[in-house]
């Protein structure tokens, strides 16, 4: 407690782009504690901040002002405050901006809505009774107030009958705060009987929850081995101890199967947290969480910043997924920060994946993390049989991409009443449109990208900035008519090709364009489960997590796509993705088949998939990284300099290069034009800083940037542990 007479000033962290907390005076009658939300003057406006208690660089407010008032809401828990400190330090982001993420729903700080309720006044005089008054009086009681609307409905009277009874002294009226709309998951309801290998791991995770100690476990297992069932038991354990559980899932907005399973098991929905929620949904959720009235939250990365009071376990499902990396604003990796969050609360964290990242595997190798492995699919089905099709030797007509082998297998699958999926990680119809006359390629005016044709929309679209224009057959460069040609396939074009071969097969294109939200995915999942769709043609959106019992053939149209970019993790990521895609095939009784089409059958990724040699691939990949000193064996920080004015960006890059530290502990690569040279009209230049693992690379970068004067029209973004190298 910060006592008014002992300390006059307190630090308040405000959710704006400041590095530290500001100092404010406390009025005599104000009792404030660390974590309290307070309204403070800031320049000409007033903002809500949080009383801060860690060592921070106090920026003196020009003239110290008084804290206006304390907001009526529970304090931001200590663990959340330390987490904000930590994330800001690690990601080199202004601490105020990290707080802003934790306060993502300002409206949640408003006084909660109250409604009027009626209570029976036991000591009152006699009144004239009517039938409707009698009905009301039969329902109310002296112990607790009943909301007026609810009472009126139950008694089948109008609200005026109730207010009249109040005037007559029969009822008292009072404000009641609405209870949290969230139900408590029933953790006592029995789960499935676990197999032996499942039970052993589940027991270990539950013991960790019971011990209430920080520890990291990797739960690895082939797709369909029951990883979700196993970690659900650990959630039950946390609930039984009165603790909260946080589950991070990539693509949570589309994880309807996960939610359905949760509901079937626990009798209610968990709290879902992602960016597509409405403000009022967020508000209710945030408030219920800080009040400790919520048990299970499943969310996207931003759920990490929710003000949990009493967290008992963190689960990070699909831990290898690169969508855990936030690339804008505060740039952080939710997988890594999830581990930090658990450490701060001294609780276990479980990383879950069929294809763990090299980072995580390295940590299990060195004994930092525990490693558990589910080796068998629960259904008993074997892993699918994978065949590699060498596209260099396939007789293909031009503008066709499906090999005769794959066509044959598709036919067999449809004939036997089973389902197939064609995977191509490219939305739209064609990635490039060019003029056959003049060679002009249609590109984005704001980005250095080609526009992607979307035939279903009749438009050409930029996948970076969303710019689009109506598709036309006339070249905008030379004016030639009927000259525009689509180059290469996207899923829409593959659908067209299949249509010509199997016109009667029911198909569904599945991409982020066709799935707009939870209801459209529920519908689709239902359709697939009911076998009303025979063929899915989709991007990675359909590759993850789903369990479709009838699906027995997966065809990868172009396995080489992800290998082309050649960034640090291209091989690793392609292997993960294709392994996951393959895992969709044959998850139930019927065994599955996978066909991988490639022009690079000798590429280690493709070879590993063909031979089923995951360990061997990972080993070789790890060796490569180690020999180059790359993550997870070394550290990287990327600097991205950008400006609408390319000369200004260049000048800053030159200046940074001039004052770059001459330090044997770090290696600075660049400046170099970013592969995505222009994005949304901003010119981009990159540096990559590399160091050994034990070096405090943030400190080196901080010292470097401190000495540099950066004009306001240039942005310098710091990306610690970069995932994206574009
Ligand atoms: P993973 O998360 O490893 O892909 P899931 O947990 O989704 O695997 O399990 C795959 C399927 O097997 C699901 O339908 C799940 O309900 C079922 N399953 C897994 N373990 C059991 C079990 N012990 N008893 C009954 N069904 C199980
Ligand atoms: Zn663009």
């Amino acid at each position: 407690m910060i006592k008014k007479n002992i300390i006059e000033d307190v630090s308040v962290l405000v959710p704006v782009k400041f590095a530290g907390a500001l100092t404010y005076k406390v009025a005599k009658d104000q009792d404030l504690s660390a974590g309290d939300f307070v309204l403070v003057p800031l320049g000409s406006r007033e903002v809500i901040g949080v009383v801060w208690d860690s060592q921070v660089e106090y920026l003196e407010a020009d003239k110290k002002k008084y804290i206006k008032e304390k907001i009526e809401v529970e304090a931001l828990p200590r663990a959340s405050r330390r987490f904000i400190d930590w994330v800001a330090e690690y990601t080199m982001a202004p601490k105020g901006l990290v707080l802003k993420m934790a306060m993502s729903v300002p409206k949640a700080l408003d006084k909660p809505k109250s409604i009027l309720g009626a209570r029976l006044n036991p000591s009152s005089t006699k009144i004239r009774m009517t039938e409707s008054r009698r009905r009301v009086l039969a329902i109310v009681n002296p112990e607790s107030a009943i909301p007026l609307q609810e009472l009126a409905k139950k008694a089948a009277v109008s609200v005026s009958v109730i207010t009249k009874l109040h005037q007559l002294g029969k009822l008292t009226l009072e404000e009641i705060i609405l209870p949290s709309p969230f139900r408590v998951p029933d953790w006592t309801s029995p789960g499935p009987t676990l197999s032996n290998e499942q039970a052993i791991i589940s027991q270990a995770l539950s013991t960790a929850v019971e011990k209430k100690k920080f520890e990291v476990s990797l739960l690895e297992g082939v797709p369909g081995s029951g990883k979700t069932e196993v970690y659900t038991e650990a959630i039950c354990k946390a609930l039984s101890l009165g603790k909260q559980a946080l589950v991070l899932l990539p693509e949570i907005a589309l994880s309807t199967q996960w939610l359905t399973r949760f509901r079937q098991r626990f009798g209610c929905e968990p709290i879902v947290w992602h960016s597509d929620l409405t403000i009022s949904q967020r508000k209710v959720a945030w408030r219920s969480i800080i009040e400790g009235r919520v048990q299970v939250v499943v969310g996207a990365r931003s759920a990490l910043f929710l003000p949990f009071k009493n967290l008992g376990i963190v689960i990070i499902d699909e831990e290898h997924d690169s969508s855990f990396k936030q690339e804008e604003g505060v740039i952080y990796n939710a997988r890594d920060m999830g581990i930090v969050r658990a450490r701060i609360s001294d609780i276990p964290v479980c990383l879950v994946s069929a294809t763990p990242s090299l980072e995580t595997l390295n940590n299990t190798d060195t004994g930092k993390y525990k490693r558990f492995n589910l080796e068998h699919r629960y259904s008993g089905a074997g892993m699918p049989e994978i065949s590699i099709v060498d596209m260099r030797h396939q007789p293909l007509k031009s503008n066709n991409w499906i090999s005769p082998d794959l066509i044959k297998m598709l036919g067999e699958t449809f004939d036997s009443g089973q389902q197939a999926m064609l995977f191509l990680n490219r939305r739209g119809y064609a990635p490039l449109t060019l003029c056959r006359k003049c060679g002009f390629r249609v590109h984005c005016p704001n980005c250095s990208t080609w526009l992607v044709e979307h035939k279903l929309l009749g438009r050409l679209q930029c996948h970076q900035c969303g710019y689009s224009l109506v598709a036309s057959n006339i070249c905008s460069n030379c004016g030639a008519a009927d000259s525009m040609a689509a180059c290469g396939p996207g899923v829409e074009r593959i659908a067209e090709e299949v249509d010509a071969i199997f016109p009667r097969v029911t198909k569904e294109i599945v991409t982020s364009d066709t799935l707009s939200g939870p209801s459209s995915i529920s519908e689709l999942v239902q359709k697939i489960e009911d076998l009303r769709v025979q063929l899915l043609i989709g991007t990675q959106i359909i590759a993850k997590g789903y369990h479709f019992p009838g699906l027995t053939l997966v065809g990868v149209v172009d396995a080489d796509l992800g290998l082309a970019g050649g960034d640090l993790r291209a091989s690793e990521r392609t292997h993960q993705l294709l392994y996951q895609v393959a895992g969709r095939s044959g998850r139930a009784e019927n065994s599955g088949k996978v066909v991988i089409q490639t022009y690079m059958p000798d590429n280690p990724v493709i070879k590993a998939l063909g031979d089923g040699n995951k360990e061997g691939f990972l080993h070789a990949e790890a060796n490569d990284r180690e020999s180059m000193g790359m993550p997870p064996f070394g550290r990287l920080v990327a600097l991205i300099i950008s400006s609408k004015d390319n000369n200004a960006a260049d000048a800053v890059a030159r200046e940074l290069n001039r004052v770059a530290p001459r330090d044997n502990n770090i290696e600075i690569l660049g400046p170099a034009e970013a592969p995505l040279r222009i994005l949304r009209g901003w010119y981009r230049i990159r540096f990559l800083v590399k160091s050994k693992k034990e070096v405090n690379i943030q400190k080196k970068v901080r010292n470097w940037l401190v000495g540099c004067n950066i004009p306001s029209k240039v942005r310098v973004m710091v990306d610690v542990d970069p995932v994206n190298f574009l």
Side-chain angles (χ1 to χ4, degrees), residues 78-98:
R78 186 174 181 281
S80 292
R81 303 195 303 270
R82 292 302 78 82
F83 183 54
I84 290 168
D85 286 337
W86 209 96
V87 172
E89 177 73 21
Y90 188 86
T91 62
M92 302 179 59
K95 196 175 288 182
L97 284 192
V98 184

Side-chain angles (χ1 to χ4, degrees), residues 444-447 449 451 462-467 680:
C444 177
N446 314 315
C447 308
T449 53
L451 294 187
C462 172
H463 284 181
Q464 294 297 337
C465 73
Y467 170 88
R680 298 190 180 92

